[in-house]
Amino acid sequence: MRHTVVVITRDRRDSLLAVLARLRDLPHGPPVIVVDNASRDGTPEAVEAEFPRVRLIRSPENLGAVARNLAIDHVRTPYAAFCDDDTWWEPDAPARAAALLDAHPRLAVVTGRILVDPGGREDPIVPELRDSPVPGPPWLPGPALGSFLAGASMVRVEAFREAGGFSPRLWLGGEEELLSADLMTLGWHLCYAADVVVHHEPSPVREAHLRRRHGIRNTLWFTWLRRPLPAAARRTAGLLRTLPRDRVTAAALAEAAAGLGWVARERRPLPRDVEDRLRTLEASQRASKARRYVS
């Protein structure tokens, strides 16, 4: 077996059980690891009762995206197919992604084509992935990316561990951006694969304000942690022009400001070649309809 499926969840029992039922039908029965982020709705008990073959890890606290780091500690295959508790892979998708990683040793992440259910329409982010302007080496099997979507990507475990996984400080919300930049700094590459299809049926159980607050904060933190000062100032100014003037934004800016000491201590500007790649994304980020913090 070349891949393990990794799912993180919190308080979405019914949605998770539906996802696990689909994952159970994947060809060759890959191992599945679920990390429960301190659910209060009986999720872990339901998983143990209905899916005894799933490796269940109970976290005593809500780790956010860092729960994936915990799962990776238990992965014994070369690759990990990440899922959220409202996403799942089409039957042939994991094998396709693993084949790309097998064929390209410096490829760290394969992000699939996301279809939103019910209906199977393309997620608004897909055109940005398909038309990514990021330059990449000629051997890449798809468009080069500057970041990825964890709930719809397969990662090379070796690369994930080398880059340190997801930052505990960022917790959840745009946490992939920092990890992606660090992967590229280490010489790894990320790409989009149109024939690797992942489905997303958004759960009605959402903390939209919390996710938006953390998304704004984490975008600012990443920008000042890794981008050179002119690029950081430019992106910050552009973000501030587009943010809603509301309490969520105010809370996000306050949290970002409270972390400035940490940012200053941890700041490591990207190498020139990686910064040049990220700079190509600035126009698409400004025009994006899928990256607006307005929920």
Side-chain angles (χ1 to χ4, degrees), residues 160-175:
F160 185 92
R161 288 172 175 158
E162 183 183 1
F166 293 109
S167 167
R169 191 69 185 250
L170 269 59
W171 195 68
L172 184 69
E175 69 280 355

Side-chain angles (χ1 to χ4, degrees), residues 6-10 35-38 59-71 83-85 150 160 166-173 175 207 210-211 214 217-218:
V6 168
V7 188
I8 62 173
T9 189
R10 176 176 167 84
V35 182
D36 180 75
N37 271 324
S59 171
E61 60 180 315
N62 185 359
L63 298 175
V66 185
R68 297 190 184 102
N69 298 1
L70 182 59
C83 275
D84 290 333
D85 49 19
F160 185 92
F166 293 109
S167 167
R169 191 69 185 250
L170 269 59
W171 195 68
L172 184 69
E175 69 280 355
E207 295 179 295
L210 181 66
R211 182 66 64 91
H214 288 165
R217 179 199 67 187
N218 290 347

Side-chain angles (χ1 to χ4, degrees), residues 88-152:
W88 65 92
W89 295 64
E90 283 202 349
D92 63 348
R96 290 177 182 271
L100 294 177
L101 291 166
D102 280 342
H104 305 286
R106 295 307 298 174
L107 181 60
V109 181
V110 174
T111 295
R113 178 173 173 246
I114 305 165
L115 302 182
V116 180
D117 289 315
R121 67 188 185 281
E122 276 193 346
D123 188 285
I125 198 68
V126 169
E128 294 184 38
L129 303 175
R130 184 189 301 123
D131 301 326
S132 170
V134 176
W139 54 260
L140 270 184
L145 301 179
S147 187
F148 67 101
L149 293 98

